[in-house]
Amino acid sequence: MFFNSIDFAIFLPIVFILYWFVFKKNLRLQNLLIVLASYVFYAWWDWRFLSLIIFSTVVDYFVGRKLRVEQKQANRKLLLWTSIVVNLGFLGFFKYYNFFLENFIASFTFFGGEIQANSLNIILPVGISFYTFQTLSYTIDVYRGKLEPTRDFIAFSAFVSFFPQLVAGPIERATNLLPQFYKNRKFDYHQAADGMRQILWGLFKKIVIADNCAIYANEIFNNSGEYSASTLVLGALFFAFQIYGDFSGYSDIAIGTSRLFGFDLMRNFNYPYFSRDIAEFWRRWHISLSTWFRDYLYIPLGGSRGGTWMQIRNIFIIFLVSGFWHGANWTFIVWGGLNALFFLPLLLTKRNRTNLGEVAQGKFFPSIREVISIGITFGLTLIAWIFFRAESVGHAVSYLKGIFSPSIFTSPELFDPRGMKITFVLLAIFLLIEWIGREGQFAIENISVAKSKAVRWSLYSSILLVLYFFGAFDETVEFIYFQF
Amino acid sequence: MRKFILNGLLFLSLFLVCNTIVYLFAQDVYHESYNKVPYKSFDSFIFADSYGMALRDYGEEYNVYNFAMASDSYFDIKRKLSYLIRNDYQINTVYIGVDNHSLSTNREHMNNLDRSVYYSSSKDFSNPLTYFKERYLVYYVAIFRPSVRALFRSYLFQNAKSLLKRGSKVKENSFDWSSLAESQRKKEAEAIIEIQFLSQNRSEELKKVLEEIIALSKEHQFELIGVKFPVSESYLKAMNNANYGADEVFVAHGIPVLNFKRKYLERDELFADSNHLNDKGAEQIIKIILNK
């Protein structure tokens, strides 16, 4: 069920009431409720894939238990590899089988061979890229001795399937989330109220910003051959805000929902479009995934230690794998490769950790230098987003060629002048709110400091009114990251 | 917890008030014209989209009730027909629009499913939960419905606009199709065709429902007749023989189709726009359709 659906609007209060009023005094039953609610939530998409998540849960639970008692290093490695093979095996088959098959056939044909093979009509289970990585973090941390394996199967199942973050993250670490299932949760008004605020802001980002931008991004990308260069730039801009509003909006709703139940999830976005360089962008965008790759792939490969070529190799591996994680298409791999290219100079010149603090901290206006840095960084990510969004590498290349043409100096074609102007205004207001609230976990977090209830509720009502009158409810736009 | 619950109840109360306002608006502006139940004295019915709606109530003197409504799809038509059957209407003849665009994939989104749910029963849905959700939740929580929201929004904005214009009335649209220049008629017809025939393929889902309607006619033994309503010459030229084949489905099942597509090609004065008859045209064609 979508977060912005009537189904979820009914599901959430029911689970909330059962959680805090019926099962409040029994931790085990509370966790069991989370498991059942999460399975209902997942089955709402497609009940057939429940078996996969349950199987993955059982395998990793028993791998963890075995790792606790197994002393022989060879056997421990074997157990770890069992978990990796099962999880990545599912992911590989459902997500990448057809991609590998088609490319294998294409290479055979390229070399003059002929091969008969049929691609399968495989449905991608929702959230598989997320929960497989989440359970892998458990087995790897247990193997490394960073985490005590759990004996509580219910708590572990709840950790794997926790519904707010099950289908599109944040990809939680076992070291952060699992211990929260062992502790008695006490209802905290401020945590819950903050959670509601974060849900509201997440819905605003998704329904007002992302879904409105999606209408124009889709039109321009789907008909890119017909539009001028300046319009193509507009299309890329719309997509940049579509994907940001969509994904960070979902994360806000997930984190806010978790807080209603007394859980704290990790932050997933930290105002990435205010980044001053690409390294900072990757510390602020999809934080749960980039830190996962850093801890479980980059550092084991040697990280930034070793010679220059090793550093270059590791950076490319990380970004290419990250691109590939997003989908079985060369466009995502090229997207990853481009980001590696942008990142590499900073790493090699040891400037990848220069912008660690908040941009324009304590001030309202950024410096000229910061504005230029933000502009350049945003421009680079925009070029990469074109590959992310395009149907194929060829489409992305022709899109870029279209941008770098004389019609860049013409006015963009506003094929829906009224709608587009409203969207521009909404984007401007959105960016202003995000800028003002950039030191908070989410942009409107600090509304809570307004002492007057009337002021706070007026602000919430204003957001709700904008959501109602300007949100793109008519177009059923799925959360982008559900397809990953 | 108490404070959270109290705030939650306050929010819920405000939400209910807003929803009630929107629901009453929807009833008045959106549902009232749709939720009509014919008298049981009628034994023949017309089902179609806006093409059939143009016939208004001209068939009533011949005991034919016009159930057609703008944007009605075969999903909506099947619900209405099932309603009549369930409520023991004496059905002799059913006329159904089978125009060239009727199986357009457009109709899978542009339809009246949120309104025709009024005529539905649990048997029209795959499970009781979905029926409950569509028939009651979605229907009564009108504030969330996209169609109602769009109407409410344009109603408010239009009123705000006229207030800002210091009471100047919004001009009524008194449009005469035949008075338009040929180039303008061609342009308008092409604009409609672009929307109606956007996809290359027809909707298999709608075709399936059309066949279910045919099955209903055989099961309940009423006569089914397909009708292709008249269109203007500009529209016919712009359409250029595009056809999703709703009429072919009828023909394949041995059901007669009355084809009036070319009936008024030289009679633009009978049209309100490129593809809808005006009152004069409706009065003429109804007698021909009903063979009077």
Side-chain angles (χ1 to χ4, degrees):
Chain A
M1 58 184 89
F2 292 118
F3 278 166
N4 55 331
S5 70
I6 210 163
D7 302 344
F8 188 71
I10 295 164
F11 170 84
L12 185 62
I14 292 172
V15 178
F16 181 86
I17 289 166
L18 287 170
Y19 185 87
W20 289 116
F21 291 95
V22 178
F23 300 115
K24 187 173 86 168
K25 294 197 170 133
N26 190 319
L27 178 65
R28 206 169 162 74
L29 284 178
Q30 252 190 353
N31 287 342
L32 184 60
L33 171 69
I34 295 275
V35 174
L36 293 173
S38 301
Y39 286 165
V40 166
F41 180 85
Y42 193 71
W44 215 265
W45 295 101
D46 194 325
W47 61 269
R48 294 171 295 176
F49 293 125
L50 259 183
S51 54
L52 281 177
I53 193 172
I54 292 170
F55 185 76
S56 184
T57 304
V58 168
V59 165
D60 290 333
Y61 173 76
F62 283 108
V63 162
R65 290 284 300 265
K66 276 287 191 187
L67 279 168
R68 169 192 269 272
V69 296
E70 186 56 62
Q71 300 297 327
K72 268 194 190 162
Q73 191 53 28
N75 290 344
R76 288 175 64 79
K77 258 202 174 137
L78 182 63
L79 284 165
L80 176 66
W81 276 103
T82 303
S83 169
I84 291 171
V85 164
V86 165
N87 285 299
L88 294 186
F90 281 151
L91 187 62
F93 174 74
F94 284 99
K95 205 163 169 178
Y96 302 108
Y97 175 83
N98 284 332
F99 173 80
F100 283 120
L101 184 67
E102 282 155 15
N103 281 277
F104 181 72
I105 294 169
S107 346
F108 232 78
T109 314
F110 183 76
F111 290 108
E114 240 185 76
I115 187 166
Q116 293 285 342
N118 295 319
S119 58
L120 300 175
N121 190 18
I122 300 174
I123 305 167
L124 180 67
V126 173
I128 192 167
S129 304
F130 294 89
Y131 71 73
T132 49
F133 271 43
Q134 187 152 310
T135 53
L136 271 176
S137 86
Y138 170 76
T139 44
I140 294 171
D141 283 351
V142 168
Y143 173 81
R144 286 176 174 175
K146 279 179 73 179
L147 182 71
E148 263 305 298
T150 183
R151 287 186 217 231
D152 188 342
F153 183 71
I154 304 286
F156 183 71
S157 302
F159 156 71
V160 175
S161 63
F162 191 38
F163 72 89
Q165 43 92 240
L166 174 59
V167 295
I171 300 171
E172 272 296 329
R173 300 299 180 85
T175 45
N176 178 49
L177 184 56
L178 189 54
Q180 294 184 61
F181 285 101
Y182 302 148
K183 282 187 268 186
N184 279 312
R185 271 89 60 182
K186 258 183 135 177
F187 184 82
D188 182 308
Y189 172 79
H190 294 288
Q191 186 185 31
D194 236 13
M196 290 299 295
R197 266 190 287 275
Q198 198 160 3
I199 291 170
L200 176 64
W201 190 240
L203 286 171
F204 177 87
K205 279 183 182 175
K206 163 64 181 160
I207 297 168
V208 176
I209 301 301
D211 290 354
N212 275 310
C213 287
I215 296 167
Y216 307 118
N218 289 341
E219 166 59 28
I220 294 169
F221 269 88
N222 293 344
N223 301 288
S224 53
E226 295 166 20
Y227 289 111
S228 64
S230 50
T231 313
L232 294 179
V233 170
L234 213 57
L237 270 166
F238 278 130
F239 180 70
F241 286 103
Q242 176 196 349
I243 195 164
Y244 174 59
D246 193 282
F247 198 16
S248 68
Y250 179 93
S251 293
D252 280 332
I253 298 170
I255 295 166
T257 304
S258 306
R259 298 178 93 180
L260 289 177
F261 295 92
F263 292 95
D264 275 315
L265 298 185
M266 69 181 292
R267 193 172 187 181
N268 215 12
F269 290 86
N270 185 11
Y271 312 98
Y273 289 155
F274 298 150
S275 301
R276 291 155 286 185
D277 59 51
I278 280 289
E280 187 181 13
F281 176 82
W282 281 103
R283 284 195 297 276
R284 292 169 174 268
W285 179 275
H286 201 177
I287 297 166
S288 64
L289 182 72
S290 51
T291 53
W292 196 101
F293 277 123
R294 180 197 65 199
D295 293 343
Y296 299 113
L297 192 59
Y298 184 65
I299 289 174
L301 283 173
S304 51
R305 288 171 289 150
T308 304
W309 287 113
M310 193 155 151
Q311 286 183 50
I312 293 171
R313 179 203 74 174
N314 292 344
I315 286 297
F316 268 95
I317 288 174
I318 289 304
F319 277 105
L320 289 174
V321 170
S322 175
F324 199 46
W325 175 90
H326 283 83
N329 195 324
W330 284 105
T331 52
F332 297 115
I333 296 170
V334 172
W335 170 78
L338 274 175
N339 275 285
L341 273 172
F342 299 152
F343 185 89
L344 216 46
L346 292 170
L347 181 71
L348 296 176
T349 55
K350 297 195 191 328
R351 290 203 321 247
N352 57 308
R353 294 188 74 77
T354 44
N355 292 311
L356 293 175
E358 207 53 68
V359 58
Q361 188 154 25
K363 295 184 281 177
F364 183 79
F365 293 105
S367 65
I368 304 284
R369 191 191 165 125
E370 280 172 330
V371 171
I372 294 170
S373 306
I374 290 170
I376 292 171
T377 307
F378 185 71
L380 290 174
T381 59
L382 216 58
I383 292 171
W385 281 138
I386 289 169
F387 283 86
F388 194 94
R389 173 58 181 80
E391 298 296 320
S392 64
V393 175
H395 179 209
V397 169
S398 69
Y399 195 101
L400 272 170
K401 272 188 185 163
I403 286 179
F404 294 107
S405 66
S407 57
I408 192 80
F409 300 109
T410 58
S411 300
E413 293 149 65
L414 301 183
F415 42 85
D416 174 16
R418 189 170 166 268
M420 283 167 116
K421 282 171 189 169
I422 290 173
T423 306
F424 292 144
V425 169
L426 290 169
L427 267 171
I429 294 170
F430 167 67
L431 281 169
L432 181 63
I433 296 174
E434 288 256 298
W435 177 258
I436 293 169
R438 69 192 181 281
E439 287 175 26
Q441 290 281 314
F442 56 98
I444 61 168
E445 186 183 29
N446 295 324
I447 282 181
S448 58
V449 304
K451 299 237 187 290
S452 158
K453 187 168 184 165
V455 168
R456 291 200 308 275
W457 280 65
S458 303
L459 286 166
Y460 303 146
S461 305
S462 306
I463 295 172
L464 282 167
L465 280 170
V466 170
L467 222 152
Y468 186 72
F469 286 108
F470 296 103
F473 288 97
D474 306 343
E475 310 283 332
T476 44
V477 183
E478 204 181 68
F479 283 100
I480 293 179
Y481 268 71
F482 282 3
Q483 62 190 291
F484 306 139
Chain B
M1 175 63 88
R2 193 164 161 267
K3 189 177 175 186
F4 189 80
I5 299 291
L6 284 172
N7 279 337
L9 287 171
L10 175 61
F11 175 77
L12 190 64
S13 314
L14 291 169
F15 174 80
L16 285 171
V17 166
C18 293
N19 184 63
T20 305
I21 294 168
V22 174
Y23 173 76
L24 291 172
F25 167 82
Q27 280 300 112
D28 189 36
V29 167
Y30 191 56
H31 288 287
E32 206 186 310
S33 58
Y34 194 90
N35 297 350
K36 289 193 163 145
V37 175
Y39 292 119
K40 284 210 168 160
S41 54
F42 289 105
D43 62 7
S44 297
F45 302 88
I46 297 171
F47 293 98
D49 55 14
S50 53
Y51 284 34
M53 189 175 142
L55 303 184
R56 292 187 186 243
D57 55 1
Y58 292 123
E60 286 188 11
E61 64 179 290
Y62 309 111
N63 215 32
V64 177
Y65 184 81
N66 190 358
F67 231 148
M69 209 27 116
S71 300
D72 259 4
S73 65
Y74 292 129
F75 302 127
D76 306 298
I77 289 171
K78 191 190 164 204
R79 280 180 179 177
K80 288 178 176 178
L81 194 51
S82 301
Y83 173 87
L84 296 177
I85 293 168
R86 223 168 35 244
N87 287 277
D88 301 320
Y89 277 75
Q90 185 62 41
I91 308 171
N92 289 335
T93 314
V94 166
Y95 300 89
I96 291 193
V98 288
D99 298 285
N100 291 27
H101 71 286
S102 295
L103 289 179
S104 168
T105 49
N106 233 356
R107 275 274 172 265
E108 288 177 12
H109 317 291
M110 286 169 57
N111 52 50
N112 287 313
L113 281 174
D114 63 331
R115 292 199 280 181
S116 64
V117 74
Y118 176 81
Y119 298 102
S120 65
S121 74
S122 55
K123 288 181 184 153
D124 296 322
F125 294 88
S126 52
N127 65 66
L129 257 177
T130 313
Y131 168 65
F132 176 77
K133 179 186 152 187
E134 297 296 327
R135 178 65 183 90
Y136 297 104
L137 265 174
V138 173
Y139 191 83
Y140 288 106
V141 184
I143 203 167
F144 287 140
R145 270 194 279 144
S147 44
V148 171
R149 191 192 74 108
L151 262 173
F152 191 63
R153 193 168 83 161
S154 70
Y155 173 80
L156 281 180
F157 288 167
Q158 214 162 15
N159 278 304
K161 239 181 173 175
S162 47
L163 270 175
L164 285 170
K165 283 185 181 170
R166 294 176 188 271
S168 62
K169 284 187 182 175
V170 176
K171 279 188 190 166
E172 289 211 3
N173 188 9
S174 49
F175 185 71
D176 181 3
W177 172 252
S178 62
S179 66
L180 280 182
E182 202 182 309
S183 56
Q184 185 62 24
R185 277 183 270 163
K186 182 175 177 242
K187 194 177 164 191
E188 293 199 6
E190 281 169 357
I192 303 278
I193 295 293
E194 210 181 323
I195 297 168
Q196 287 181 334
F197 294 93
L198 192 63
S199 144
Q200 280 194 332
N201 304 314
R202 69 178 168 199
S203 164
E204 290 305 318
E205 223 181 306
L206 280 167
K207 181 181 171 259
K208 186 170 159 254
V209 174
L210 185 59
E211 285 171 337
E212 286 170 7
I213 292 171
I214 294 169
L216 277 175
S217 75
K218 289 178 180 162
E219 187 189 336
H220 297 278
Q221 293 178 330
F222 54 81
E223 191 186 4
L224 198 58
I225 299 174
V227 179
K228 295 185 79 164
F229 293 93
V231 295
S232 68
E233 192 177 9
S234 315
Y235 180 91
L236 198 72
K237 277 186 183 161
M239 194 171 67
N240 195 25
N241 294 321
N243 185 3
Y244 289 122
D247 53 341
E248 289 160 11
V249 174
F250 265 35
V251 167
H253 282 84
I255 294 165
V257 172
L258 305 176
N259 189 351
F260 300 114
K261 241 340 114 287
R262 296 174 174 275
K263 185 80 184 164
Y264 296 138
L265 287 186
E266 282 155 35
R267 303 286 308 275
D268 274 344
E269 75 278 9
L270 296 180
F271 289 94
D273 56 38
S274 68
N275 53 336
H276 297 98
L277 293 168
N278 56 24
D279 288 351
K280 208 165 145 193
E283 264 185 299
Q284 285 197 21
I285 200 66
I286 192 71
K287 290 176 189 161
I288 301 169
I289 290 172
L290 303 179
N291 204 20
K292 305 290 179 202

